[in-house]
Amino acid sequence: MTTVLLHGLGNDRRQPLGLFESVVEETSGPEELIVAPDVRAHGGFLAVGEPADFGIDRLAREVCEHVPAALAEAGRGHHEASEPVTIIGISMGAAIALRIVLDDLLPVRRVVFVRPSFDDTSLPDNLRAFPVIGQILADAGPAGAEEFREREIFHEVASVSPAGGRALLAQFQAPDAARRAMRLVEIPRNRAFEHDDDLHELSARGIRSLVIGAARDPVHPFPIAERWAGGLRSMLELLPPRDDGQAEQTAVLRERVGRWLARD
């Protein structure tokens, strides 16, 4: 079997590996192949490209190209390439995971959507900070963090969640952040789905899903997680806010994902 781990905007493959690699190994066994690709303009995916390259459908196709390559590298045959996979996606990764399922790009059996932040709106209010960061990065580079810190849009997030504010500021220190600024401008313009009926499709096809949201997370509002879970007719889990302790939130996240994976 194969599990695909998908990271969030501005992060890289180390994010989901650090969170879930041990959980997947414990629940699925040492034979499970774990594939954690870097999305375009993240991590080891050095190419940036053009704005159109950041369409969610294109990102999903690029991600899926890593799966047969990983199977071949692991010495697994064509038969395993057709076996159902599990996907765990965080934030942007959740939106990409949903697109993979809707476009039938991989034979998905089950999927975990962690802190979804995209819905049927282009550039929803909760993601408006990212294009602002991207433009400041393009104009001023990492030194623009101080300018962003003075913006009202930063204070709107930081007043609700100081940890969320720090996460936004961390975008300025990401590797090669200025050259890759386009990702922050373009990706939030994507819609995860067009209508709630798109979400109903997963349960109709027998694909098991789990949605996990967090309290007091203005970039990943819990009402978005509730909407996903309602449309998907899936289980919904609530994490404690990271402002109450990142270690506690991480421990609860791993426990909930591990328990759900072990059920099947």
Side-chain angles (χ1 to χ4, degrees):
M1 297 292 293
T2 301
T3 295
V4 179
L5 305 179
L6 300 175
H7 63 79
L9 179 60
N11 277 284
D12 60 38
R13 65 191 301 270
R14 293 173 296 178
Q15 180 197 32
L17 282 171
L19 287 171
F20 301 123
E21 184 175 28
S22 61
V23 175
V24 172
E25 289 175 346
E26 289 169 8
T27 57
S28 301
E31 296 303 313
E32 184 80 1
L33 178 64
I34 299 174
V35 183
D38 284 318
V39 176
R40 173 177 288 273
H42 293 76
F45 197 137
L46 301 181
V48 175
E50 302 299 326
D53 292 320
F54 291 96
I56 206 77
D57 54 342
R58 295 197 185 191
L59 297 178
R61 288 196 298 271
E62 287 180 338
V63 160
C64 291
E65 291 172 1
H66 290 264
V67 175
L71 286 167
E73 185 176 341
R76 304 191 181 188
H78 294 292
H79 172 69
E80 290 191 69
S82 63
E83 290 186 350
V85 305
T86 298
I87 306 180
I88 304 175
I90 304 170
S91 188
M92 174 190 74
I96 293 174
L98 180 63
R99 180 51 48 192
I100 290 171
V101 176
L102 292 176
D103 290 353
D104 205 19
L105 300 177
L106 289 174
V108 178
R109 180 169 68 99
R110 56 187 185 175
V111 57
V112 180
F113 303 107
V114 180
R115 294 186 298 127
S117 54
F118 293 70
D119 56 16
D120 60 346
T121 307
S122 174
L123 195 57
D125 287 345
N126 57 294
L127 298 180
R128 287 188 303 115
F130 289 99
V132 176
I133 296 171
Q135 189 58 60
I136 294 175
L137 272 169
D139 293 340
E146 290 307 312
E147 176 186 344
F148 178 68
R149 193 190 295 269
E150 299 301 318
R151 296 287 187 96
E152 179 63 26
I153 198 167
F154 167 75
H155 291 288
E156 289 174 359
V157 172
S159 64
V160 176
S161 170
R166 291 192 295 272
L168 292 178
L169 288 171
Q171 295 285 349
F172 288 90
Q173 303 305 319
D176 209 10
R179 188 180 69 85
R180 294 168 157 179
M182 188 186 299
R183 67 190 182 187
L184 302 180
V185 175
E186 297 299 331
I187 290 176
R189 302 182 190 281
N190 282 278
R191 295 174 171 85
F193 50 89
E194 294 297 326
H195 308 283
D196 285 356
D197 288 346
D198 294 337
L199 300 174
H200 300 334
E201 183 179 329
L202 271 71
S203 59
R205 289 164 54 183
I207 298 172
R208 290 183 59 226
S209 61
L210 169 66
V211 179
I212 301 178
R216 298 207 315 267
D217 188 338
V219 176
H220 311 85
F222 190 66
I224 290 183
E226 290 181 306
R227 182 179 180 186
W228 279 53
L232 294 165
R233 300 182 175 90
S234 73
M235 181 183 297
L236 173 65
E237 295 280 6
L238 173 63
L239 301 177
R242 54 183 166 178
D243 287 290
D244 290 355
Q246 182 64 67
E248 178 184 358
Q249 187 188 79
T250 298
V252 174
L253 173 60
R254 287 172 174 157
E255 188 275 330
R256 302 287 168 79
V257 171
R259 183 176 61 188
W260 187 82
L261 292 175
R263 289 178 56 197
D264 190 8

